[in-house]
Amino acid sequence: MPSFITKLRWLDWLILVILTGIVGYVVIRVEGTLNYEWRWELIPDYILRYREDRGEWFANLLLQGLFATIRISIYAGILALIFGTVLGIARVSENLTIRLLARTYLELLRNIPPVVIIFIFFFFLSQQLIDALNLNSWSRSIARSDSAPVWEFFFGEMRRFPSLVSGVLVLAMFEAAFVGEIVRAGIQSVPKGQREAARAIGMSRYQEMRFIVMPIALRKVVPPMANQFISLIKDTSIISLISVQELTYKTVELVASTRLIFEAWITTAGFYFVLCFGLSMLFRRLEKSP
């Protein structure tokens, strides 16, 4: 018997029974009041499906959306980390103008609803950049080339590459505000004695930040940074509003075409939970490791 089961007390079992009863009640109400017919047997085909004409398995709507969500999260997380670190350093700069510019950016993004930010960045930044770089023509040419499978492994369907770029840029610019505050807090948590010691041995401001402050600060910000990355994964659902075809967007498509309302959204919620909970457990293990 697993160890966590033996640790459960009577109150834990009572809570589990109550939760089970609530779930059962909701299911009964859905079937009775809404006259809803559950069709769970159809969901697996929209995750992974076998094509008899080609004799191979292929990722269907939900799995395509999950892969897109993972790609967007990774690329947006990297950009947010880079830009957020720059913002965090700028927040503690000795130059007043740099500090004010960084704080203005952070305060604006942290105090405006995410949906509004998403649309502002999409129309005034990412879309303008895509048009300026002519990414639409470039991605279509890549999609017709022999190297298309390699590109698709990293970026998905290349004809939708501009949409991916839009989603990554918008999400990265939004999340960078929160990363910047985490980095700023980490820098300010470094004891003054460390900085004074660096200056005493003749280090410049740049050397002090590079060799003393940032290494200490980055170790302290790992836990909140991990939590922010998990939040970023959940925030990818917002960019479905600008037609980025990640998991939430694909779920909306599935519901519209099949009317599998509860089955589709419960499955999507399960995907998000497994992904975020799995990363949470991984980060927790990494924090405990020496």
Side-chain angles (χ1 to χ4, degrees), residues 224-235:
M225 202 71 78
N227 291 332
Q228 189 60 41
F229 182 73
I230 293 173
S231 297
L232 184 151
I233 294 174
K234 293 181 288 186
D235 289 342

Side-chain angles (χ1 to χ4, degrees), residues 81-223:
L81 178 61
I82 295 171
F83 188 42
T85 301
V86 173
L87 285 172
I89 295 174
R91 283 279 281 115
V92 296
S93 172
E94 294 181 343
N95 186 292
L96 178 60
T97 302
I98 294 177
R99 287 204 312 272
L100 288 176
L101 288 174
R103 183 169 183 177
T104 300
Y105 181 88
L106 294 173
E107 293 298 338
L108 281 174
L109 266 70
R110 293 172 61 208
N111 294 286
I112 296 179
V115 174
V116 178
I117 295 295
I118 293 297
F119 280 112
I120 290 175
F121 275 140
F122 174 68
F123 289 111
F124 292 100
L125 178 65
S126 64
Q127 191 60 46
Q128 302 300 322
L129 181 62
I130 288 171
D131 293 340
L133 297 177
N134 199 21
L135 287 182
N136 286 300
S137 299
W138 178 82
S139 60
R140 284 194 294 267
S141 65
I142 290 293
R144 293 191 295 266
S145 68
D146 295 334
S147 60
V150 177
W151 288 90
E152 289 176 358
F153 176 79
F154 291 101
F155 303 109
E157 185 180 350
M158 287 306 297
R159 295 181 186 277
R160 302 190 185 279
F161 180 74
S163 174
L164 177 72
V165 172
S166 294
V168 168
L169 286 176
V170 166
L171 201 59
M173 298 295 285
F174 173 70
E175 295 293 332
F178 300 92
V179 173
E181 279 298 278
I182 293 172
V183 173
R184 189 268 310 163
I187 292 173
Q188 292 182 336
S189 69
V190 176
K192 291 184 179 179
Q194 298 282 354
R195 299 184 178 186
E196 292 173 355
R199 292 170 186 171
I201 61 176
M203 282 190 176
S204 65
R205 171 75 174 175
Y206 170 76
Q207 291 173 327
E208 174 192 334
M209 288 295 294
R210 178 182 176 185
F211 297 110
I212 304 297
V213 177
M214 289 307 295
I216 298 174
L218 290 177
R219 284 198 296 270
K220 292 185 177 183
V221 303
V222 167

